[in-house]
Amino acid sequence: MSLIGHGWALPISFRVVNTLNTLNIHGDTEPSLSITKSDYPLAMSLAQLKGKGKAQDYEDLDPVLTYRHILQNNLGTRDPLRVVALCDSDAFYAACEMVRLGVTDKPLVVLQWEGIIAVNYPARKFGITRFHKLKDAKERCPELIIIHVATYKEGEAEPGYWDNVDSKTHKVSLDYYRRESAKVLAMFKAGLPDAEIEKASIDEAFIDFTQPVRQTLIQRYPYLSQIPPDAPNGADTPLPAPPPLNWGTDSHLIPINPAVDPESNPVEVSAPLTWHDVALQIASEMMHKVRVDIATKLGYTTSAGIARNKFLAKLCASYRKPYSQTILRNQAIPCYLKPLEFQKIRFLGGKLGEALAKEYDVSTVADLLFACIDHPAVEELQSKFGESAVWVYEIFRGIDRSEVKEKPAVNKSMLAAKALQKPITRIADGPHWIRVLAAELSLRLNDARKERPNLWPKTLVLHAGHGYGNARSKQAPFPFTRDVTVDIVAAAGGKLWKELVGNVAGPFKISILSLGFSGIEVTDASQQSIATFLANPSVVAGKKRPREENGNPPERPHRDTPPARSRPSSPTSIGPNSTSFTCSECHKTISLSPKLLSSTSDVRERAQAFAAMKDEHSDFHFAQSVAREVEPEVEHIGTSKKVKSSKTRRKDNGPKGIEKFFNRT
């Protein structure tokens, strides 16, 4: 058997002996070969030829695809035709400022206090990075445009780009970047309606192309949609060979052989094609189109990696930045992964990566793969590093079964926090920061309600602490108001502040302060809020609502948010002589009492009684809907909270239910 690129002939039957610095491969009939540690990847390939009792290295790169794989739509993360992309906005914070200022090709950096947090690509040509001090960056590029992120300051309802910002009085705002990120995500969803899209961070999104690619695959190659009559194994018959493929010029191909550049060597590009290659190419067309749309309409360039799973897509997204996309074919996975220093891989840069490097005295993926070549090494990894260590074993082989999941459209919480350089030591100093945090919260909630007007938080939470493990919090229901302003949020936060620190005996120090909303939900559009209901003067005064002359209740005026609850409508067939009706909400039939019917035969009196009966039944449903919006009572016991449900509250002799609600003053 010959080894490509080396011309060595070795027998299939051999054994591998690992020494400190060399790898000795002993053939049954030929002299042994000593290979240095730099040749571990080659040696590992040799060792796997044996096959018995050994873990196969990258054995799933070219699985046999059948008609069943094409026709089934529920294979999930194990689908051999799965295609995932990671699309990353290029130098996003800097790009946002370039769009805001109308800057195109001038060097620009974004500051947060004294540190550089973003560098655009024209500035990177001068060697400027985020790790440089501002003084050094100016020396490298005197024409450098320097922008400090927007900040909140007391007395301002919205963040701004102020002069002389100070971390002791201002708070950083990322709201502009969040809005621009939402625009990019919206264009992904509009341009790829059949794909699954998961927002990974403010400037990244994973896209699962599997379903739209499968649809396009069948459209382009309709013969795949039907099992041939002469298929020997029915649905399990392998697919025919794929047709020739034109990769185009919109994507970079990671080479199968790292010594060969696919853009200049046609031999590499014409390597045997698979149907997964076809799927990758179709996804690249879709990805390129939406990326061009984003650049054209929003002014943001993006880079994407396209591969068979999330891990590989993210790994290759930065292959040729900026404004590019890269395809990682299955056949190219081994040579792309093996030279990587595994401690640079996500989740392996911390203690786990350090422990692996120390345990096996290795640094690259290839080294660690060789150290774990035997299948028993999986159990060894798990015994030393926990059950989840099998993830390491798989990830080094390019296997990642994590799903692309679209995150909920509504975040359940919002948080504005500030790490204070000058700790709060007096009660009087708190309201300044409460108001600054309230400005951010009110702005973010109002932004969210522009898309979903019925969005509202249940609770406002104030958290104060100094270092780790030394924190206190206070929370209270956040009442509905039509317009969310800084004053309203600050007033509620100020009340929590007084409750939190008002009874503190002796000196205190607060270096971390946060104010947040929790329990954010989209309320039922058909429900009216308590505030809106009590805004009706006639209800507050205990008077009945006016009736029109025909006995029907007047229409409620239109309100912005949340919409008022409509009264149950009566069937249109009800006439002036009607004595009963069926409620459209509870579906019960409500009738005038026999006593009333026998006491009067006057048509007008009966009509008035009938109208009053309908209106009272409507009031019953309306009061029920309002009562459901009342917050449960929350009391704090130490650091925990206790919610009193209706089952645990003590009974009293006072009015209950709807009666209790109407007896409030």
Side-chain angles (χ1 to χ4, degrees):
M1 177 174 292
S2 297
L3 295 177
I4 299 175
H6 292 268
W8 294 349
L10 292 177
I12 292 180
S13 178
F14 57 86
R15 64 186 184 277
V16 178
V17 179
N18 186 14
T19 62
L20 288 177
N21 298 311
T22 63
L23 182 73
N24 298 321
I25 303 179
H26 300 272
D28 288 349
T29 59
E30 298 193 18
S32 63
L33 294 175
S34 292
I35 299 175
T36 62
K37 194 171 183 179
S38 62
D39 289 321
Y40 274 6
L42 169 66
M44 185 166 56
S45 299
L46 291 172
Q48 287 181 333
L49 296 177
K50 182 123 180 175
K52 296 181 180 180
K54 304 293 183 181
Q56 296 301 309
D57 183 20
Y58 305 103
E59 74 276 7
D60 64 338
L61 298 182
D62 188 16
V64 176
L65 296 180
T66 67
Y67 287 93
R68 189 181 303 278
H69 292 131
I70 290 287
L71 301 178
Q72 282 189 338
N73 294 322
N74 58 350
L75 297 179
T77 59
R78 296 180 182 273
D79 192 332
L81 286 172
R82 188 183 187 213
V83 180
V84 176
L86 185 281
C87 195
D88 176 17
S89 298
D90 298 322
F92 185 60
Y93 288 2
C96 288
E97 298 300 344
M98 292 172 68
V99 169
R100 183 178 67 85
L101 298 173
V103 174
T104 54
D105 56 355
K106 295 181 180 180
L108 178 148
V109 297
V110 179
L111 286 183
Q112 180 174 318
W113 312 131
E114 296 299 323
I116 297 175
I117 63 170
V119 183
N120 72 353
Y121 282 90
R124 295 184 190 189
K125 293 179 180 178
F126 292 86
I128 300 172
T129 70
R130 289 183 299 161
F131 302 104
H132 280 104
K133 298 289 186 181
L134 182 59
K135 180 181 178 181
D136 296 335
K138 288 180 179 179
E139 290 177 354
R140 288 173 177 266
C141 178
E143 298 82 19
L144 186 66
I145 300 174
I146 302 167
I147 303 294
H148 193 283
V149 297
T151 57
Y152 289 96
K153 68 177 182 179
E154 188 179 10
E156 299 292 339
E158 294 192 5
Y161 293 85
W162 320 109
D163 295 329
N164 302 319
V165 294
D166 188 343
S167 62
K168 296 179 181 179
T169 55
H170 293 65
K171 182 193 178 302
V172 165
S173 166
L174 302 180
D175 300 292
Y176 170 56
Y177 307 136
R178 290 192 186 100
R179 293 192 193 108
E180 297 304 290
S181 174
K183 293 178 184 178
V184 174
L185 187 65
M187 290 202 66
F188 281 140
K189 293 181 178 180
L192 303 166
D194 297 324
E196 193 78 15
I197 300 173
E198 173 189 332
K199 182 179 179 180
S201 67
I202 196 170
D203 62 346
E204 292 179 320
F206 284 108
I207 305 167
D208 192 333
F209 283 99
T210 307
Q211 286 301 323
V213 162
R214 179 179 269 100
Q215 295 168 7
T216 303
L217 197 66
I218 292 177
Q219 291 173 0
R220 292 187 182 179
Y221 310 101
Y223 57 86
L224 298 178
S225 63
Q226 292 184 344
I227 303 171
D230 57 348
N233 298 320
D236 295 319
T237 301
L239 297 176
L245 190 62
N246 181 8
W247 291 102
T249 58
D250 300 328
S251 301
H252 299 288
L253 281 176
I254 291 179
I256 294 173
N257 183 343
V260 180
D261 183 355
E263 295 183 352
S264 61
N265 192 321
V267 176
E268 180 73 18
V269 176
S270 62
L273 293 174
T274 67
W275 281 108
H276 190 262
D277 289 335
V278 179
L280 289 170
Q281 193 274 333
I282 293 173
S284 72
E285 293 177 3
M286 298 177 179
M287 187 78 263
H288 176 72
K289 183 179 184 305
V290 74
R291 287 179 52 251
V292 170
D293 288 343
I294 290 171
T296 302
K297 297 177 181 179
L298 299 180
Y300 299 121
T301 64
T302 56
S303 296
I306 307 169
R308 68 177 183 176
N309 56 47
K310 294 173 71 174
F311 164 67
L312 295 173
K314 182 172 179 61
L315 204 60
C316 67
S318 58
Y319 184 68
R320 293 285 180 90
K321 295 190 81 171
Y323 200 35
S324 68
Q325 62 184 44
T326 301
I327 297 174
L328 178 60
R329 300 171 65 188
N330 286 357
Q331 296 94 326
I333 292 173
C335 287
Y336 187 60
L337 282 182
K338 289 179 180 179
L340 294 179
E341 295 182 20
F342 62 79
Q343 285 184 269
K344 293 184 178 180
I345 295 175
R346 190 183 184 192
F347 302 127
L348 288 176
K351 293 183 178 179
L352 178 58
E354 292 177 4
L356 288 169
K358 183 178 180 180
E359 176 69 23
Y360 296 103
D361 189 26
V362 292
S363 60
T364 68
V365 172
D367 293 342
L368 192 57
L369 277 174
F370 176 76
C372 301
I373 191 171
D374 292 329
H375 185 69
V378 179
E379 287 75 13
E380 180 185 341
L381 279 173
Q382 290 179 312
S383 66
K384 292 180 179 179
F385 305 104
E387 291 296 321
S388 60
V390 70
W391 171 82
V392 177
Y393 191 80
E394 291 191 334
I395 211 73
F396 287 171
R397 289 162 173 76
I399 300 171
D400 176 19
R401 297 191 175 92
S402 57
E403 295 181 279
V404 175
K405 291 184 178 180
E406 183 173 355
K407 295 184 177 179
V410 177
N411 290 325
K412 295 296 182 181
S413 62
M414 290 180 182
L415 183 69
K418 173 68 178 179
L420 303 166
Q421 285 190 352
K422 181 182 179 182
I424 297 174
T425 56
R426 301 184 306 160
I427 295 177
D429 294 337
H432 164 83
W433 288 113
I434 295 291
R435 190 167 186 84
V436 171
L437 298 175
E440 179 176 353
L441 274 187
S442 61
L443 179 66
R444 291 177 61 186
L445 183 58
N446 281 320
D447 280 351
R449 295 185 73 212
K450 289 177 183 178
E451 295 184 9
R452 297 174 181 83
N454 296 323
L455 200 69
W456 196 255
K458 289 183 177 180
T459 309
L460 183 68
V461 184
L462 177 67
H463 176 97
H466 180 65
Y468 294 101
N470 185 13
R472 300 178 63 194
S473 63
K474 200 76 175 178
Q475 65 179 24
F478 189 69
F480 175 80
T481 56
R482 183 179 301 178
D483 299 316
V484 185
T485 64
V486 179
D487 291 337
I488 290 173
V489 180
K495 184 177 179 181
L496 292 176
W497 171 256
K498 291 179 181 178
E499 294 176 0
L500 187 67
V501 301
N503 298 323
V504 174
F508 64 89
K509 182 181 290 187
I510 295 174
S511 58
I512 301 174
L513 189 68
S514 67
L515 191 65
F517 290 130
S518 65
I520 300 175
E521 294 180 352
V522 178
T523 60
D524 187 348
S526 65
Q527 291 185 355
Q528 181 177 4
S529 71
I530 298 172
T532 307
F533 174 74
L534 295 179
N536 189 326
S538 63
V539 174
V540 176
K543 301 177 182 178
K544 286 188 176 181
R545 278 166 283 196
R547 314 286 189 233
E548 291 187 0
E549 292 184 359
N550 60 5
N552 292 324
E555 293 184 1
R556 289 191 178 91
H558 173 73
R559 294 174 174 87
D560 293 331
T561 57
R565 185 178 186 84
S566 59
R567 294 180 176 273
S569 58
S570 303
T572 56
S573 59
I574 291 179
N577 296 321
S578 299
T579 60
S580 66
F581 75 100
T582 300
C583 175
S584 61
E585 218 169 298
C586 65
H587 305 293
K588 293 182 179 179
T589 300
I590 314 298
S591 305
L592 291 174
S593 67
K595 182 178 180 180
L596 185 145
L597 292 174
S598 62
S599 65
T600 180
S601 58
D602 186 271
V603 174
R604 178 175 294 181
E605 289 183 8
R606 286 190 174 186
Q608 290 176 346
F610 179 74
M613 178 185 68
K614 286 198 304 176
D615 201 59
E616 287 174 3
H617 187 76
S618 175
D619 286 345
F620 167 77
H621 282 297
F622 177 68
Q624 274 191 327
S625 70
V626 174
R628 282 195 295 267
E629 296 185 29
V630 178
E631 287 287 338
E633 184 180 353
V634 179
E635 63 179 21
H636 290 271
I637 302 177
T639 58
S640 62
K641 66 179 182 179
K642 180 179 179 182
V643 180
K644 294 183 178 180
S645 66
S646 58
K647 295 181 180 180
T648 60
R649 289 174 182 155
R650 293 181 178 179
K651 295 183 178 179
D652 56 47
N653 297 324
K656 299 175 179 62
I658 302 302
E659 180 186 0
K660 180 179 179 180
F661 173 78
F662 278 116
N663 283 349
R664 291 181 179 180
T665 57

